[in-house]
Amino acid sequence: MFNFDKNKIMNHLIAPSLLSADFGNLRHDIEIVNKSEADWFHLDVMDGVFVPNISFGIPVISAIKRDAKKPLDVHLMIVHPERYIRDFKKAGADILSVHYEAVTHLDRTIHAIKQEGMKAGVVLNPHTSIMLLENIITEVDLVLIMSVNPGFGGQAFIENSYAKIQQLKELMIKKGSKALIEVDGGVNLNNAPKLVKSGADVLVAGNAVFKSNDVLKTIHSLKNY
Ligand code: DX5
Ligand code: ZN
């Protein structure tokens, strides 16, 4: 599998979000990410119910898997994500993250994701308290902090996210959790250093990467600022 050990990750990881890629020319953008210093592909699945937008689903992820040479980090912004765990595994997901706000039986869902051989993540909306993770933090492989309200790329970063990362770090130390901390939404070259300093292990970036003049160079700069 891929390197998921917090102690062995030397540098923070970069996960470009294909939501901001050119959907008419997806293979081109996948190849660029393959060639780049990026670590994962971040794939945003939206159902028009949990979030007010519809993106793409299982067949598109299967198509991406054919060309992608790096792990697929799948972020589910859908209701009842527990119904589709096996389908996302079959499509090629390596990491599967579900929203805290979308799942009633989170412990069961996290274990079902792991049972399928994927890494399991939980995602928190900007208003959702870190303290709600107290009884699940030792079970998850990853916590994704939303630094915008989910649904769209290109939104402004919410400043309170730094404090949430720090609170999460404190909770993880207290509970002995080795989960990776991922941040998603409005991440760019200006806020990346402070995010990593606050404790982020993985930075997701959509617009900052794919709307830049030089995608390879932007990924390089996010990785090596
Ligand atoms: C938003 C998605 C993000 C989005 C980030 O709901 O979860 O992954 O693609 O895009 P940027 O980096 O443009 O805010
Ligand atoms: Zn996302």
Side-chain angles (χ1 to χ4, degrees), residues 22-82:
D22 178 358
F23 286 175
N25 207 353
L26 212 41
R27 184 174 284 147
H28 171 263
D29 287 351
I30 293 169
E31 291 302 341
I32 293 183
V33 175
N34 281 340
K35 268 195 287 179
S36 77
E37 290 170 62
D39 299 278
W40 302 344
F41 285 86
H42 184 81
L43 306 179
D44 292 296
V45 179
M46 304 179 184
D47 65 354
V49 180
F50 181 70
V51 287
N53 194 11
I54 300 175
S55 58
F56 51 79
I58 292 157
V60 174
I61 293 181
S62 301
I64 293 169
K65 187 71 177 180
R66 289 204 297 269
D67 295 315
K69 297 202 170 77
K70 298 179 181 187
L72 302 189
D73 169 34
V74 177
H75 173 192
L76 297 183
M77 284 162 272
I78 63 175
V79 296
H80 296 303
E82 68 282 355

Side-chain angles (χ1 to χ4, degrees), residues 76-95:
L76 297 183
M77 284 162 272
I78 63 175
V79 296
H80 296 303
E82 68 282 355
R83 293 182 184 166
Y84 309 101
I85 291 169
R86 188 161 288 173
D87 300 296
F88 281 105
K89 169 67 183 177
K90 274 196 215 147
D94 296 287
I95 305 149

Side-chain angles (χ1 to χ4, degrees), residues 17 19-20 42 44 46 75 77 146 148-155 184-187 204-208:
S17 167
L19 189 64
S20 302
H42 184 81
D44 292 296
M46 304 179 184
H75 173 192
M77 284 162 272
M146 287 309 299
V148 297
N149 287 293
F152 303 92
Q155 301 182 83
D184 184 8
V187 174
V204 176
N207 262 40

Side-chain angles (χ1 to χ4, degrees), residues 7-212:
N7 301 324
K8 288 193 190 138
I9 293 174
M10 305 298 284
N11 206 344
H12 59 279
L13 306 182
I14 305 297
S17 167
L18 287 187
L19 189 64
S20 302
D22 178 358
F23 286 175
N25 207 353
L26 212 41
R27 184 174 284 147
H28 171 263
D29 287 351
I30 293 169
E31 291 302 341
I32 293 183
V33 175
N34 281 340
K35 268 195 287 179
S36 77
E37 290 170 62
D39 299 278
W40 302 344
F41 285 86
H42 184 81
L43 306 179
D44 292 296
V45 179
M46 304 179 184
D47 65 354
V49 180
F50 181 70
V51 287
N53 194 11
I54 300 175
S55 58
F56 51 79
I58 292 157
V60 174
I61 293 181
S62 301
I64 293 169
K65 187 71 177 180
R66 289 204 297 269
D67 295 315
K69 297 202 170 77
K70 298 179 181 187
L72 302 189
D73 169 34
V74 177
H75 173 192
L76 297 183
M77 284 162 272
I78 63 175
V79 296
H80 296 303
E82 68 282 355
R83 293 182 184 166
Y84 309 101
I85 291 169
R86 188 161 288 173
D87 300 296
F88 281 105
K89 169 67 183 177
K90 274 196 215 147
D94 296 287
I95 305 149
L96 195 63
S97 297
V98 298
H99 267 261
Y100 181 89
E101 303 83 8
V103 180
T104 307
H105 302 288
L106 186 59
D107 181 84
R108 178 185 289 152
T109 302
I110 291 296
H111 285 106
I113 294 171
K114 290 181 171 178
Q115 196 73 40
E116 288 294 335
M118 295 178 282
K119 297 292 180 185
V122 61
V123 193
L124 297 189
N125 273 338
H127 73 276
T128 305
S129 168
I130 295 294
M131 293 322 292
L132 294 168
L133 296 180
E134 204 176 353
N135 296 305
I136 195 76
I137 193 69
T138 52
E139 308 306 307
V140 297
D141 298 306
L142 176 142
V143 178
L144 173 48
I145 303 282
M146 287 309 299
S147 40
V148 297
N149 287 293
F152 303 92
Q155 301 182 83
F157 179 82
I158 296 172
E159 294 289 321
N160 184 48
S161 311
Y162 299 117
K164 284 186 81 173
I165 296 168
Q166 283 158 6
Q167 286 168 13
L168 175 58
K169 248 200 122 98
E170 283 165 25
L171 177 67
M172 285 171 49
I173 291 167
K174 188 172 135 205
K175 295 282 185 176
S177 159
K178 297 238 166 11
L180 295 184
I181 302 177
E182 184 173 30
V183 188
D184 184 8
V187 174
N188 55 40
L189 285 166
N190 297 325
N191 55 26
K194 191 169 169 191
L195 285 168
V196 173
K197 206 164 166 220
S198 303
D201 301 297
V202 189
L203 302 180
V204 176
N207 262 40
V209 167
F210 290 105
K211 305 296 180 209
S212 70

